[in-house]
Amino acid sequence: MNAHAVSAKPVSESTSGPSPMVACGLRKSYAARSVLDGIDLELPRGSVLGLLGRNGAGKTTLLNALLGLTSLDAGTVQVLGEPVQALSDATKERLAYVMQQPAGFGWMRVDQWLALMAGSYPRWDAMRADHLLSRWQLDIHAPMAQLSPGERQRLELVRALAIHAELLVLDEPASSLDPAARRDLLRDLAFEALDEGTSVILSSHLVGDLERIAGQVALLHRGRLLLRGELDTIKENHARVQLPAAAEALPGEISRRRLESGGVSVVIARAPGQPWPTQLTAWHAQPQPLGLEDLFVEVTS
């Protein structure tokens, strides 16, 4: 795992058994615009999958589709072993979804809302909820309507973690926080969730957030997954090369961008353990390693 990621439990404990979420061939269009175009995605058990994409890439639509909150034109989703459109109540109690902009319950105080949640989830852990409320400095006597967006997101995360969800789906969970608060929240989230083998899907357009905790990455762009897999493997097997403008397409070429100098910047991929294309020798081109942020910018420009 990358140096900044928080390790999950050993593979024998955390990744055994069926995948908690499997999606095949997801398609969704609004009018003439394709938002999801043949998405295949599988979440390894006990892992954090970072869903990366620019604003408007379709991340929220994909998350809603994975949870059965958006109807699909085509495709199937299995969540915790059941079809997403026919989840049992028992299975729903094993998953949690934290939206980017939580809404509702503005007429309640925080303590009233917590009491409602405690009565709604059989596995509610009051001690864990109290610990997180204190750690994240949330006032239980505050009216919900007066919470800032960041406080409301943190309160929703308290709910998600207090029910000991086996599957946790987070849509830009720290987008309303400043960088220092985001770092602390994501660190806490990673340790709290992965300590008990929870499987997490975390969407963000902030690359640094994902690199801190994600071991798996899926890059969504214009309705398609351009990249998906283990973060370290992706970084090790993708590179940038600068070539003459007239250079032909390379094996494994993902993107090509024209440079002001007259050449082109090309991102290429190789299979793990395989060499880079032999054509690079003729142009004396040296593959340049890419961090996740540079790779994200190159393939989505």
Side-chain angles (χ1 to χ4, degrees):
M1 186 171 288
N2 57 308
H4 300 290
V6 178
S7 297
K9 291 185 176 182
V11 172
S12 60
E13 298 179 26
S14 63
T15 60
S16 60
S19 298
M21 178 174 284
V22 181
C24 299
L26 305 189
R27 296 187 181 276
K28 178 67 177 180
S29 296
Y30 293 104
R33 179 171 173 256
S34 177
V35 182
L36 303 177
D37 188 5
I39 299 292
D40 296 323
L41 189 63
E42 182 170 350
L43 174 63
R45 181 172 294 276
S47 68
V48 176
L49 171 65
L51 178 61
L52 181 63
R54 292 181 180 273
N55 288 329
K59 300 188 299 298
T60 297
T61 299
L62 176 56
L63 295 184
N64 286 336
L66 292 174
L67 294 171
L69 302 176
T70 294
S71 61
L72 289 165
D73 301 329
T76 60
V77 181
Q78 291 272 325
V79 174
L80 297 172
E82 295 182 358
V84 72
Q85 297 297 345
L87 295 180
S88 64
D89 289 341
T91 296
K92 291 177 182 178
E93 292 168 358
R94 296 161 58 200
L95 61 90
Y97 180 29
V98 177
M99 296 183 290
Q100 182 176 1
Q101 296 179 328
F105 302 99
W107 50 275
M108 282 186 167
R109 295 193 313 268
V110 170
D111 57 343
Q112 294 172 323
W113 181 83
L114 290 168
L116 177 63
M117 296 299 104
S120 302
Y121 293 98
R123 299 199 294 177
W124 182 264
D125 186 337
M127 290 184 62
R128 192 178 203 184
D130 289 343
H131 165 73
L132 292 170
L133 289 165
S134 175
R135 180 166 182 79
W136 294 339
Q137 300 179 340
L138 294 169
D139 181 3
I140 63 171
H141 303 295
M144 298 279 286
Q146 294 181 12
L147 297 180
S148 70
E151 289 172 329
R152 189 60 195 269
Q153 281 184 319
R154 278 175 280 186
L155 186 59
E156 287 289 339
L157 283 169
V158 171
R159 171 187 61 83
L161 295 171
I163 66 174
H164 293 276
E166 295 176 37
L167 174 61
L168 185 55
V169 180
L170 309 171
D171 189 5
E172 302 275 2
S175 60
S176 299
L177 304 178
D178 62 67
R182 275 207 319 271
R183 181 193 60 223
D184 292 343
L185 179 65
L186 291 171
R187 180 197 60 212
D188 290 348
L189 171 64
F191 280 114
E192 289 283 349
L194 293 181
D195 184 59
E196 55 186 44
T198 302
S199 306
V200 181
I201 299 179
L202 167 66
S203 90
S204 182
H205 65 284
L206 300 171
V207 179
D209 286 357
L210 296 187
E211 283 200 285
R212 288 190 179 95
I213 66 172
Q216 302 271 332
V217 172
L219 198 163
L220 184 67
H221 184 58
R222 294 178 180 173
R224 296 187 177 187
L225 288 179
L226 298 185
L227 305 170
R228 60 180 178 267
E230 291 188 2
L231 177 54
D232 282 349
T233 300
I234 286 175
K235 291 197 292 186
E236 181 180 345
N237 293 287
H238 289 77
R240 174 173 52 202
V241 292
Q242 293 189 9
L243 303 174
E248 67 267 21
L250 293 170
E253 182 172 325
I254 294 178
S255 67
R256 177 173 292 220
R257 177 173 57 87
R258 189 168 296 277
L259 301 173
E260 292 183 1
S261 62
V264 291
S265 176
V266 178
V267 174
I268 53 176
R270 63 180 178 181
Q274 297 301 307
W276 297 111
T278 57
Q279 293 94 323
L280 297 182
T281 304
W283 293 307
H284 304 287
Q286 184 67 34
Q288 304 169 356
L290 287 170
L292 183 59
E293 183 169 2
D294 287 336
L295 181 58
F296 172 60
V297 171
E298 287 283 351
V299 301
T300 61
S301 296

